[in-house]
């Protein structure tokens, strides 16, 4: 077959080689993924150092850094994958949720690339991206599975029936789990981002020394609440000023309270729906205690469990390309006039009118 014919045949599959772009928060990320499965490159320009002095992400600073870093990150992703824009068959970009200015930078870059190369373009829900990251694991979870998506912005339980087919069964009514980690770390001046720091300190602590509440543990729903737990830590700190207690024990006590509720509700969701496999997604899925507790619970109840490698847990663009591959193949497209969606309606999927 002449190569021009072979290329024409391949070009009918927009998911064959997808360029993913992610800029919803503080990571400028780009990736090239083949067939929604094989990660050829995944490049992340982290802004952690820029935001650390402020103890949290400063939205305008994030936008400016994306403006500087995102285009070079895309170039690096192409070059690391050993491909050029001529080889790319589709573009997937995070359309929301996230910081509006940050999202706009990624969206506009993706539109420009797709328009100039006449490539199919699709907008992806960041949450769906985190779930799609699981399909990039060496051993992806079998469908259906119950996913706990825990990040700095979200804490939800999703029943995932098939690629791109997920139902949110419960979510946080206030703070996200990662946000609670970050706020407690900030309260004590431990550093930023707080999740990983608390994770490390907790490993040297005893979770039974400082008992904290387990919010909504027995309320019979699949929803979460973490702002009360954070307030309990604030009250504990005030009540114990000048007292001698180990920071490691406080971290362990706090972390145990978060993990216990997360694991109990994920397990309850799987049992209610008769689902035999659990999975973790999102930045907090990097937490060592959460991983261990989820694995223990799954083993105890005879369920399977997928604990993705850390690089797939935190924000990246390979997960956006993977989710985008599915939507591109299903024929979904984002029009060039599409807007970024800072907050998604309940359910975690992009509203139908955001896609053509
Ligand atoms: O998914 P992600 O990279 O970004 C969002 O979409 O939010 O998640 C970032 C969040 C932050 O709140 C961070 O503190 C938390 O994940 N995190 C952790 C750990 N590593 C990251 N939380 C607990 N333990 C960790 N090891
Ligand atoms: Zn995320």
């Amino acid at each position: 077959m002449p190569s021009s014919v072979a290329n024409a045949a391949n070009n009918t599959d927009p998911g064959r080689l997808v360029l993913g772009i992610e800029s919803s928060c503080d990571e400028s990320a780009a990736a090239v993924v083949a067939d929604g499965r094989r990660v050829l490159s995944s490049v992340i320009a982290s802004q952690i150092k820029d935001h650390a002095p402020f103890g949290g992400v400063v939205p305008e600073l994030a936008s400016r850094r994306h403006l500087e870093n995102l285009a070079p990150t895309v170039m690096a992703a192409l070059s690391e994958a050993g491909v050029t824009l001529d080889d790319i068959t589709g573009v997937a970009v995070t359309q929301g949720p996230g910081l509006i200015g940050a999202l706009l930078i990624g969206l506009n870059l993706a539109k420009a690339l797709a328009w100039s190369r006449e490539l199919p373009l699709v907008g992806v829900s960041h949450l769906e991206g985190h779930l799609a990251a699981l399909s990039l694991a060496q051993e992806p979870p079998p469908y259906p599975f119950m996913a706990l998506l825990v990040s700095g912005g979200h804490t939800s339980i999703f029943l995932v029936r098939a690629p791109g087919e997920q139902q949110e069964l419960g979510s946080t009514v206030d703070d996200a789990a990662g946000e609670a980690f970050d706020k407690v770390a900030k309260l004590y001046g431990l550093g930023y981002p707080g999740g990983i720091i608390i994770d490390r300190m907790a490993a040297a602590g005893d979770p039974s020394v400082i008992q904290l509440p387990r919010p909504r543990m027995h309320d019979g729903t699949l929803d979460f609440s973490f702002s009360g737990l954070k307030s309990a830590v604030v009250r504990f700190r005030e009540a114990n000023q000048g007292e001698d207690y180990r920071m490691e024990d406080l971290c362990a006590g706090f972390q145990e309270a978060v993990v216990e509720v997360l694991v109990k509700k994920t397990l309850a969701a799987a049992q209610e729906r008769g689902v035999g496999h659990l999975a973790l997604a999102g930045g907090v899925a990097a937490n060592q205690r959460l991983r261990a507790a989820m694995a223990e619970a799954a083993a105890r109840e005879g369920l399977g469990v997928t604990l993705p490698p850390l690089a797939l847990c935190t924000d990246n663009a390979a997960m956006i390309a993977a989710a985008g591959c599915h939507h591109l193949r299903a024929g979904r497209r984002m029009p060039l006039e599409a807007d970024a969606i800072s907050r998604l309606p309940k359910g975690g999927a992009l509203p139908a009118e955001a896609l053509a």
Side-chain angles (χ1 to χ4, degrees):
M1 196 190 295
S3 68
S4 59
V5 177
N7 284 342
N10 284 338
N11 283 345
T12 58
D13 175 10
R16 188 169 56 85
L17 204 63
V18 175
L19 172 65
I21 296 178
E22 152 67 36
S23 69
S24 64
C25 193
D26 60 343
E27 316 278 17
S28 308
V32 177
V33 174
D35 291 315
R37 183 77 193 97
R38 224 157 27 90
V39 181
L40 302 191
S41 66
S42 180
V43 181
I44 298 169
S46 173
Q47 302 180 5
I48 284 180
K49 281 204 187 74
D50 298 294
H51 300 285
F54 304 98
V57 178
V58 182
E60 183 180 334
L61 186 56
S63 307
R64 289 171 186 269
R65 288 293 170 269
H66 286 308
L67 198 55
E68 292 166 1
N69 295 337
L70 199 55
T73 303
V74 168
M75 288 162 74
L78 290 168
S79 130
E80 269 189 32
V83 302
T84 71
L85 273 178
D86 293 334
D87 303 306
I88 297 296
T89 57
V91 179
V93 61
T94 305
Q95 193 173 358
L99 302 170
I100 190 68
L103 288 166
L104 290 175
I105 308 292
L107 207 63
N108 227 18
L109 178 57
K111 284 182 185 185
L113 288 171
W115 175 63
S116 63
R117 296 284 168 152
E118 295 182 27
L119 287 168
L121 171 67
V122 74
V124 171
S125 149
H126 182 81
L127 302 191
E128 206 185 310
H130 273 300
L131 297 175
L134 289 160
S135 65
L136 297 171
Q138 205 150 29
E139 262 190 62
Y143 296 103
F145 60 87
M146 198 58 74
L148 173 68
L149 170 47
V150 261
S151 72
H154 306 276
T155 299
S156 298
I157 295 175
F158 282 96
L159 169 56
V160 187
R161 294 196 177 88
E165 222 183 277
Q166 56 270 325
Q167 182 186 358
E168 191 179 49
L169 302 180
S171 64
T172 180
V173 297
D174 43 53
D175 291 354
E179 196 177 350
F181 272 91
D182 295 340
K183 283 180 176 172
V184 166
K186 190 171 178 178
L187 177 71
Y188 277 96
L190 298 181
Y192 169 84
I196 179 108
I197 298 167
I198 290 183
D199 187 348
R200 284 204 201 111
M201 290 187 75
D206 178 347
S208 65
V209 175
I210 298 168
Q211 288 285 333
L212 290 163
R214 270 76 172 142
R216 296 186 82 125
M217 181 88 159
H218 303 290
D219 71 348
T221 77
L222 297 175
D223 289 328
F224 302 97
S225 165
F226 293 107
S227 76
L229 175 58
K230 177 202 65 196
S231 306
V233 176
V234 171
R235 282 196 302 276
F236 172 86
R237 184 170 182 263
E238 280 165 5
N240 290 279
Q241 251 163 20
E243 297 291 322
D244 200 17
Y245 62 91
R246 291 175 72 230
M247 205 48 224
E248 288 82 355
D249 291 338
L250 176 72
C251 287
F254 163 76
Q255 178 176 270
E256 200 59 27
V258 176
V259 166
E260 237 179 69
V261 184
L262 291 175
V263 171
K264 176 172 187 283
K265 296 219 168 188
T266 310
L267 205 61
Q271 284 162 342
E272 271 173 31
R273 298 294 178 124
V275 168
H277 199 95
L278 310 177
L280 282 181
V284 184
N287 185 269
Q288 294 305 325
R289 179 67 195 126
L290 176 59
R291 294 169 82 88
M294 197 63 97
E296 268 167 39
R300 197 178 57 235
E301 303 295 327
L303 304 173
V305 64
T306 300
L307 307 170
L310 304 193
L312 290 177
C313 295
T314 46
D315 285 351
N316 64 86
M319 68 185 198
I320 302 302
C325 172
H326 166 75
H327 288 303
L328 286 165
R329 283 180 168 164
R332 296 192 191 108
R333 301 289 182 266
M334 183 174 77
L336 282 179
E337 61 270 34
D339 200 357
I341 303 167
S342 181
R343 283 174 168 276
L344 291 187
K346 209 169 156 48
L350 289 174
E353 60 272 20
L355 301 164

